[in-house]
Amino acid sequence: MTRDIDIKSREQIDRINRLACEAPYEVWMSTETVMLDARSLLSLYSLIGQRAKVVTEDEVSPRSLDRLVKKMA
């Protein structure tokens, strides 16, 4: 399951990482060229200024994913 997000700042990267670490399921960030584990803070910094997809397993409820992405934005 995926949702789009615009990544604009370091503060947002820190928030994305913290929320991904707290999530009871795996969270990934994807662009056209890479797929990164959202729990890996260092790799997330390469996404600043880009549009990415928040990717989770299909078993995650759409409502749960929407709440997560809203907190990340």
Side-chain angles (χ1 to χ4, degrees):
M1 185 167 313
T2 67
R3 297 290 186 271
D4 290 332
I5 187 170
D6 290 315
I7 301 175
K8 301 173 185 168
S9 68
R10 288 178 177 226
E11 292 78 18
Q12 186 180 13
I13 289 294
D14 292 337
R15 188 170 51 245
I16 289 168
N17 176 257
R18 181 179 46 78
L19 291 165
C21 289
E22 293 172 357
Y25 45 83
E26 291 196 33
V27 180
W28 297 82
M29 302 299 291
S30 173
T31 66
E32 291 183 17
T33 57
V34 307
M35 186 143 174
L36 306 169
D37 184 348
R39 295 177 181 176
S40 172
L41 183 60
L42 188 57
S43 63
L44 290 177
Y45 281 109
S46 68
L47 299 178
I48 294 175
Q50 295 190 46
R51 183 171 194 86
K53 292 187 181 298
V54 179
V55 182
T56 64
E57 302 162 352
D58 289 335
E59 292 79 29
V60 175
S61 75
R63 194 173 201 180
S64 177
L65 180 56
D66 289 340
R67 282 194 306 264
L68 178 67
V69 171
K70 186 175 182 177
K71 290 177 186 178
M72 289 178 170

